Amino acid sequence: MNRKLIYKLWIFLWIINILCAAKYDACPQKCNCAVIAGAVNIDCSFQNLSDIKENLLQKAYSLNVSYNKITDITTRFPSNLKNLDLSQNKINSLPYNFSFQFSKLEILNLSNNLLSSVPSNLPNSLKSLRLSFNKIKTVDFNSILNLVNLQSLLFDSNFIEKIETISNTDDQTVIFSKLDTVTFRANQIKNMPLHLHKVFGNVKKLSFSNNSMAGVSDDIFINFHSLTLLDLSWNKIDNVFPNSFNDNLKILSLSDNLMTSLPIRLPMLEWLDISNNKIRKIPELQSGDLYPQEMFMIGGNPFHCDCELLWLKEFYDSRKYLKNLVNVDPARFVPVCASPTELQKQSWDVLDDLLFGCVESEVIKSENIEEDKYTWKINDLYVRIKKIGDTFIYIEWKSTLGLSDVLHISFHPFGKRNLKKKSIMHPHLGKYVIKNLIEKTPYIICISLIPEENILSQVNMPASTDDCHEIVTMETVIDTNFLQAGLFYMVLPMLIVSFLIFYFKIWNNVHIFQRYVIQSNYNTTTDKKNE
């Protein structure tokens, strides 16, 4: 399309716009009017208005009277309005006929006003309702049961302490079935109502960030079958019950809370944020709660960096490239050691795996204590490291178990989980030798019990760190005295054999010589007789 044609088209549309605008009454004073696709949009914002004296254009589609001083809605507003912005005013209530006056209204913004409760006289045509930054303390959904077309509902930055739900419906009924997004950010909510899913159980995005919640029970969010994003950050949560979230959940934020452990049995998420909590350790037994997550944020926790956390360091190293693919605060993504002292304030992305070690206590000196260090109990199974060699570790056990349980033995060099090897042993064997090891090398050996019928389903499950021990193989030492004695006993047979060979050679030569002499004498005697 050439420039002249584009210019002519622009002139044509400009003329059409003027002609359409001319069909309507004059635009109110202090307001700006525009016609977009045949719809009139009126903007009276930032005009210091306490009221609008003139009748507004009756065919207006959108009206913006935000950032004024309006306290009451007395003006005869256009009846065809679809979008009404009353935010940043001083409205404390709506007129009784509001729902009749705006029977076609779809978007209503009442944020930053003086409302103390949710208005009950709202039109059922509403699809989006904003009530943020008011003075609401209680949200009673029974008062807005008619808003069945709602898709977006925002209650951010109020003083909400209580949410009243609908209790006289069955579990299959969802009142606001079209709701997609609901936010209660920055309120004072301590406890979640039990029947919240009956109100908006089909919601996809839900936020209770920056409240005063202390825990998450397993009967609150599990029934939100369509929920994909849940934000519970900036609360006082110190406990999350297992299986608290539906499997459809994709994004979960629990950051900036008081949790001391990773929640167990989480769904497979695309984004998990547990940064800035009070977590010092995450046992390897919980790796199954973290491995499936595509993106996880664990920075800002006071981690104690030792061998028990090495698995997490190795896992982080395999995913740390992700911080370059998303726009996140590095402090939330990259963990930093809080202890021990020598690793304090050091970032994981510059620390070597070998620094994540466990130092044995210097108090362990007696032979009995040293022996106990290599003996531990799993249920009624007594396991003992019988002997540690330079290239092998000899394990034995005693148990009263029947054949219903088997031993799952795994081992890998310290800091090299990718070299892990596993074996399944029956208890009646009583012993197992790990061979082909490297001398003077620490190995992590884990032994757990698995019901025989569950071998296939549990063989890849990590063992508890309580069932794992670090064992260092011995250094190969050559005893010089033994070597000298060995050489002597190795040389002696050789000397004896050599002597015997020499003796038999001499004896053979003498024998041959004797035979030669005898034969010579015999020949001489025979010759004389013949003569």
Side-chain angles (χ1 to χ4, degrees):
M1 187 179 293
N2 57 44
R3 293 183 178 179
K4 290 184 178 180
L5 183 60
I6 294 175
Y7 179 74
K8 290 180 180 179
L9 181 61
W10 184 85
I11 294 293
F12 175 75
L13 293 175
W14 180 71
I15 294 173
I16 292 297
N17 190 58
I18 293 176
L19 291 175
C20 290
K23 293 181 180 180
Y24 302 109
D25 299 331
C27 188
Q29 292 183 359
K30 297 185 178 182
C31 297
N32 295 315
C33 298
V35 179
I36 301 175
V40 180
N41 296 275
I42 306 173
D43 185 358
C44 304
S45 60
F46 294 97
Q47 298 300 322
N48 201 28
L49 299 173
S50 57
D51 195 2
I52 298 176
K53 304 298 184 183
E54 307 173 50
N55 287 334
L56 298 174
L57 303 179
Q58 290 304 304
K59 294 186 178 181
Y61 173 88
S62 173
L63 173 62
N64 183 359
V65 289
S66 62
Y67 291 90
N68 283 290
K69 298 180 180 180
I70 297 175
T71 57
D72 298 307
I73 302 174
T74 57
T75 304
R76 186 172 179 268
F77 284 92
S79 58
N80 292 322
L81 273 181
K82 295 291 185 68
N83 187 344
L84 176 59
D85 190 347
L86 293 168
S87 62
Q88 297 288 346
N89 280 284
K90 298 181 179 181
I91 300 171
N92 55 23
S93 64
L94 297 181
Y96 71 93
N97 62 342
F98 187 88
S99 60
F100 299 100
Q101 189 174 356
F102 301 99
S103 59
K104 298 180 180 180
L105 193 63
E106 295 181 356
I107 301 174
L108 175 60
N109 190 351
L110 285 166
S111 298
N112 295 88
N113 277 283
L114 303 176
L115 296 169
S116 58
S117 62
V118 181
S120 58
N121 46 347
L122 298 172
N124 57 15
S125 56
L126 277 183
K127 294 181 179 179
S128 176
L129 176 60
R130 293 174 178 263
L131 293 168
S132 303
F133 294 94
N134 277 278
K135 299 182 179 301
I136 301 172
K137 293 185 177 181
T138 300
V139 174
D140 187 356
F141 282 101
N142 290 282
S143 63
I144 54 172
L145 290 177
N146 63 307
L147 304 183
V148 293
N149 293 305
L150 271 181
Q151 298 176 11
S152 176
L153 184 58
L154 278 62
F155 288 106
D156 301 337
S157 298
N158 277 278
F159 300 90
I160 300 172
E161 298 178 353
K162 188 177 181 181
I163 300 175
E164 295 283 354
T165 61
I166 297 92
S167 57
N168 59 347
T169 60
D170 56 69
D171 288 338
Q172 304 301 319
T173 302
V174 178
I175 302 301
F176 304 100
S177 59
K178 296 181 180 180
L179 264 178
D180 179 86
T181 303
V182 179
T183 64
F184 284 89
R185 293 180 291 239
N187 281 285
Q188 300 174 10
I189 300 172
K190 294 181 179 180
N191 300 305
M192 300 291 295
L194 292 176
H195 305 290
L196 195 62
H197 64 280
K198 295 182 179 181
V199 182
F200 41 80
N202 294 339
V203 70
K204 295 179 180 178
K205 301 174 184 177
L206 182 60
S207 176
F208 285 92
S209 175
N210 200 358
N211 276 276
S212 300
M213 297 169 58
V216 179
S217 62
D218 57 355
D219 53 359
I220 299 298
F221 299 109
I222 191 66
N223 291 312
F224 283 78
H225 301 290
S226 301
L227 190 63
T228 59
L229 184 153
L230 177 60
D231 187 358
L232 299 175
S233 61
W234 291 99
N235 275 276
K236 299 178 180 179
I237 298 172
D238 59 4
N239 181 44
V240 176
F241 278 72
N243 297 318
S244 292
F245 309 107
N246 194 276
D247 289 339
N248 292 320
L249 189 64
K250 299 300 180 185
I251 299 174
L252 173 62
S253 178
L254 289 164
S255 66
D256 298 276
N257 278 285
L258 303 177
M259 296 187 302
T260 57
S261 61
L262 174 70
I264 63 175
R265 293 195 282 279
L266 291 170
M268 187 179 296
L269 302 168
E270 295 178 3
W271 184 289
L272 171 64
D273 191 351
I274 56 170
S275 61
N276 297 331
N277 275 274
K278 306 295 181 183
I279 302 173
R280 286 178 54 80
K281 290 182 178 293
I282 299 179
E284 191 172 1
L285 182 64
Q286 281 194 262
S287 61
D289 291 312
L290 204 57
Y291 278 134
Q293 319 313 339
E294 294 183 16
M295 184 77 180
F296 59 86
M297 316 283 285
I298 58 176
N301 282 288
F303 286 120
H304 178 68
C305 301
D306 62 3
C307 62
E308 294 185 4
L309 207 61
L310 178 61
W311 77 270
L312 183 58
K313 167 65 164 60
E314 293 174 342
F315 185 34
Y316 161 78
D317 287 341
S318 68
R319 298 284 184 89
K320 63 183 180 182
Y321 71 92
L322 291 173
K323 72 176 180 179
N324 299 320
L325 304 179
V326 293
N327 184 21
V328 296
D329 181 3
R332 289 187 174 273
F333 186 85
V334 184
V336 175
C337 295
S339 59
T341 306
E342 60 270 20
L343 298 180
Q344 197 171 38
K345 296 183 180 181
Q346 294 197 43
S347 176
W348 282 21
D349 55 357
V350 297
L351 282 177
D352 191 273
D353 287 359
L354 295 178
L355 295 175
F356 281 61
C358 291
V359 180
E360 298 173 4
S361 174
E362 296 181 357
V363 179
I364 302 177
K365 294 181 179 180
S366 69
E367 294 183 358
N368 292 334
I369 298 179
E370 189 70 22
E371 184 178 354
D372 289 341
K373 185 176 67 172
Y374 299 124
T375 303
W376 67 97
K377 181 183 179 184
I378 309 173
N379 295 335
D380 63 343
L381 180 72
Y382 295 87
V383 181
R384 183 168 73 96
I385 303 297
K386 185 176 181 179
K387 188 174 182 179
I388 302 173
D390 52 353
T391 60
F392 71 91
I393 296 176
Y394 188 107
I395 305 172
E396 68 176 8
W397 57 84
K398 294 181 180 180
S399 173
T400 59
L401 291 173
L403 295 181
S404 59
D405 286 11
V406 295
L407 272 72
H408 178 216
I409 301 175
S410 66
F411 63 94
H412 66 274
F414 181 83
K416 298 180 180 179
R417 279 183 51 82
N418 57 315
L419 299 180
K420 178 183 284 189
K421 296 182 180 179
K422 304 172 184 178
S423 296
I424 299 294
M425 307 295 297
H426 280 277
H428 70 269
L429 295 176
K431 61 183 179 180
Y432 180 71
V433 180
I434 302 176
K435 301 177 181 179
N436 301 320
L437 305 180
I438 303 173
E439 64 168 323
K440 204 177 179 181
T441 301
Y443 284 85
I444 304 298
I445 299 176
C446 302
I447 301 178
S448 58
L449 292 174
I450 300 176
E452 192 169 15
E453 63 272 13
N454 296 336
I455 290 178
L456 294 178
S457 61
Q458 298 189 31
V459 70
N460 292 321
M461 293 293 290
S464 168
T465 53
D466 295 335
D467 302 335
C468 299
H469 284 263
E470 179 184 349
I471 307 296
V472 181
T473 53
M474 303 295 290
E475 181 179 8
T476 303
V477 178
I478 300 176
D479 190 340
T480 56
N481 294 329
F482 176 79
L483 180 61
Q484 291 173 359
L487 287 174
F488 173 76
Y489 288 109
M490 288 176 64
V491 172
L492 181 60
M494 294 175 63
L495 291 174
I496 294 173
V497 171
S498 299
F499 174 76
L500 291 173
I501 293 173
F502 178 75
Y503 172 78
F504 281 111
K505 275 194 172 186
I506 296 295
W507 181 85
N508 188 51
N509 289 333
V510 171
H511 181 68
I512 293 173
F513 180 73
Q514 287 177 346
R515 289 181 61 188
Y516 174 76
V517 171
I518 293 171
Q519 184 67 37
S520 297
N521 291 337
Y522 175 77
N523 291 336
T524 301
T525 304
T526 303
D527 290 341
K528 287 181 178 182
K529 286 181 177 181
N530 291 332
E531 290 179 359

